Amino acid sequence: MKKRLPDFILKRSPFITGIVLLLMTGTLFLLPKAHLENNIHDWINKEDPLYQSYQKLTHHFKNDEYLQFSFNTQAILNDSLLKDYVEFLELLTKDPNVEDFIDPISLFLEENNLNYNELYTNPSIHLSKLNTFIQTLSQHQGWSQLVLSKDKQTSALIVFAQSSSKNKNQTIYEDLNFRFKQLNISFDTTGPIYFSKFLATSLKKDLTKILPLLLILSFLILMFYFKSFKIAFCVSMGTLFSVLTTLCLFPLFKVSITLASLIIFPLLFCIVTTLSIHLFYKIALNKHASHPFKKAYKETFTPGLMASFTTALGTTAFLFSPQQAISLIGWIAPIGIFLAFVSAYFFIPSLYHLLNGNFHSIQAFTFKIKGFQKQSKPVALLILVLFCLITLFLGFQLNKLKINSDALFFFKQDSPLIKSYQSTEKNLTGTLTVQLLLQSLDKQPLTNKDSLNKIYSFEQRLQTIPELTKINSIFDPLDEALKKMHRGGLNKNHNNHPLLIKALRKIEQRSPQAKTIFLTESEETSRMTLRFKNFSDKRFPEIKKNIETIWRDISTENVRISITGIIPLILESQTQLLANQVKTFILLILLISLCFLILFKSIKIAFISMIANIFPIIITAGIMSLLNISINNINVFVAAVLIGVIVDDTIFLLYTYKNKKNMAEAVKEIGPAIGLTSIVVCLGFSSLLISNFIPIIQFSILSMIAIFSAYLCDLFMLPALVQFLPKMEPNNDISL
């Protein structure tokens, strides 16, 4: 087949080029439909039993999607601004996407049985009373502590989105953010809705910077190496084709572009550029042959196809992610890599043939690889021992690797999002929430004496957890009701069950919503919200264990507790992701080894090739530990994705060795191309250094470390391993 393809390309160059240019034009109609969406729910495993508990929680109680605006309290305590602010609140009551909201003003109106119109019409009459209310509000329990700081200087408006409006979160944010800006007061924004919007905005900025940079790099590299504008232009067009068509796969398959998608585009750049370098480099070497393109095509097609296949195989690791935001990339990436291969071996040669007419004038910048000389077995053994010692030392660092999937650590410390969250935690309360769902198993209400006392004791014991800043539960409105009844609050009456029930019934009469936030109508299910300051992943399992231990010490078998919420779900998905990736990596090693076995028909070559490619992964992981880079939802894919990339040069080197029967000659011939392709791959992944996301930057750094160490292994370790193999069987070529 590969003997006929060059003739087809030369004869059908106008047709191939025309089809590709037509496809590129068609992408212009699909690209506007590409959707940047980073709903925080896409980062959790919806098959997890915890998610079922979360669905029950959001079904019975308020939606967990919220937006919080924090601002200076004094800013609204004057006639004009108070009037504008009340008008803004009244509009919220009519917004179909808003389920509910809470802030000091709404609490004041509820306390004094006022409506928004009364306060809007005569703000000055109520201003003095409002000031007094705010002074005493900070002493209250419950929601008041979430919307007013202890020093009364900072207030917050918390807006809960309708459950049916999850797909409209970005619209909700833009609308409310615009309205709040109209008040002309400075504010900080937090909450899952803001996080999702900020993530999508940052992703868009990354795409607009990284994609042009990759095209520029592609052009400059080819210009430097081949000193040919036509080759540089053709390869840049090929890169553009693969990027545009891959971008169009997202709307075509109705998949949103997510954070993990950023990894795909350097891979496409690497495939197109490295395959083109190998092809045109071989053409330059064979330029005096009667048909240099046909000869070069025949020599590079099979290893190029296998290199593309192993890279695509590595990206299938995304498929095994329990998180939808990542797993869908496992379908897009392999198709994109196939398009990159088609671009390198069909479109680029066709376009160049149309522009130049022949392949005899191609020249390549050459340099000698001095690092490899013909090795004796003692020298080869010394090199192997050296690599083994380095790998062993770095391998011992693996047990020091840390895990951190907290999405807040995705952003740089000087980003607006981090500053807003830090300001909110400093002035108000913790921004990370853990939800506890308490369910009666015997259909008895949780408000019976035994259950209510135990739940209260459980809440008191939870206060000992260091990172916990606030607990919201049914006891918050109960405490308020008891104080209004002049019974001294909850602390003095928590054992007086008849009085608690009386207070609960008063809540139902006066403000039913205050009860239904925490307790269902049947009173068989209750909700407790724990608010933490930003904690690391290594602390969460300990916190979870503490919660479960406290509950076991207090509870009866009649009540079940489920720890759920967005944060626990994300962390649980991270644990599952790590377990999946270990299995996936082992499977990939076996599959890629099988590819080597099929290609080279030698178990020994397949074995030494994988040894030479596993070492760079271990070295990279060890350096990752030394650099104190924690494992997160993105860089966890370094091993699986990069094993598919770094074997590419191994394939080209061993393929040349298979034909030459001499490793020194193989390195001499293919070494310059391997050196340049390693530089190209490093430059491709270096484009991610300008990202706004820390995990993407880390992925870039780790990728460059893996590529550099793989280059050294290919140049020194692999030839050393070959010294211990029997002579190659006489076989001048490997058929596809």
Side-chain angles (χ1 to χ4, degrees), residues 191-364:
I193 294 176
Y194 172 61
F195 179 87
S196 297
K197 171 62 180 176
F198 191 85
L199 201 61
T201 303
S202 300
L203 179 58
K204 185 177 181 180
K205 290 178 181 177
D206 273 11
L207 284 172
T208 55
K209 291 186 296 184
I210 291 170
L211 296 185
L213 179 58
L214 287 172
L215 294 174
I216 293 169
L217 283 173
S218 176
F219 183 84
L220 293 177
I221 289 166
L222 273 296
M223 274 295 293
F224 165 77
Y225 192 58
F226 292 105
K227 302 291 190 295
S228 168
F229 175 83
K230 291 178 182 178
I231 291 177
F233 172 75
C234 291
V235 176
S236 297
M237 286 295 290
T239 305
L240 181 62
F241 165 71
S242 62
V243 168
L244 288 177
T245 49
T246 302
L247 276 172
C248 285
L249 291 175
F250 288 92
L252 197 63
F253 290 108
K254 297 181 180 179
V255 176
S256 296
I257 299 175
T258 63
L259 179 60
S261 310
L262 289 175
I263 298 171
I264 295 177
F265 302 106
L267 281 175
L268 300 178
F269 161 83
C270 293
I271 289 291
V272 174
T273 309
T274 56
L275 293 184
S276 299
I277 287 172
H278 280 293
L279 178 60
F280 283 103
Y281 176 73
K282 284 287 187 177
I283 292 172
L285 290 180
N286 296 299
K287 64 181 179 180
H288 298 300
S290 57
H291 298 289
F293 171 67
K294 293 181 181 180
K295 194 172 189 305
Y297 201 93
K298 179 184 175 183
E299 291 176 356
T300 61
F301 183 84
T302 298
L305 178 62
M306 189 59 71
S308 301
F309 179 75
T310 55
T311 303
L313 202 59
T315 60
T316 59
F318 292 117
L319 282 172
F320 300 96
S321 169
Q323 299 149 313
Q324 188 178 346
I326 297 174
S327 63
L328 293 173
I329 307 302
W331 297 106
I332 302 291
I335 299 173
I337 289 167
F338 170 74
L339 291 169
F341 172 80
V342 170
S343 178
Y345 276 96
F346 291 88
F347 171 56
I348 292 172
S350 298
L351 183 60
Y352 182 80
H353 183 249
L354 274 181
L355 295 176
N356 204 60
N358 66 75
F359 292 88
H360 291 276
S361 59
I362 295 174
Q363 294 184 348

Side-chain angles (χ1 to χ4, degrees), residues 3 42 50 112 127 262 288 319 326 367 375 404 504 507 535 559 566 588 625 636 638 685 727:
K3 293 179 181 179
D42 291 337
L50 278 182
N112 294 276
L127 197 56
L262 289 175
H288 298 300
L319 282 172
I326 297 174
F367 55 91
Q375 298 170 350
N404 186 5
L504 188 63
I507 294 169
F535 51 77
V559 181
I566 292 296
L588 285 173
S625 178
V636 70
V638 166
F685 282 104
K727 239 181 169 180

Side-chain angles (χ1 to χ4, degrees), residues 43-93:
W43 292 90
I44 60 182
N45 179 13
K46 294 180 181 178
E47 302 299 322
D48 194 304
L50 278 182
Y51 186 70
Q52 312 307 318
S53 298
Y54 180 75
Q55 285 185 310
K56 289 179 183 178
L57 180 86
T58 54
H59 173 73
H60 288 303
F61 304 106
K62 198 182 297 294
N63 181 21
D64 208 26
E65 298 281 322
Y66 69 90
L67 193 61
Q68 178 169 323
F69 298 98
S70 305
F71 52 92
N72 188 290
T73 307
Q74 296 301 315
I76 59 169
L77 294 182
N78 62 71
D79 286 359
S80 59
L81 273 177
L82 180 59
K83 191 173 183 178
D84 293 340
Y85 183 74
V86 171
E87 184 180 19
F88 169 63
L89 294 183
E90 190 170 18
L91 288 173
L92 287 182
T93 62

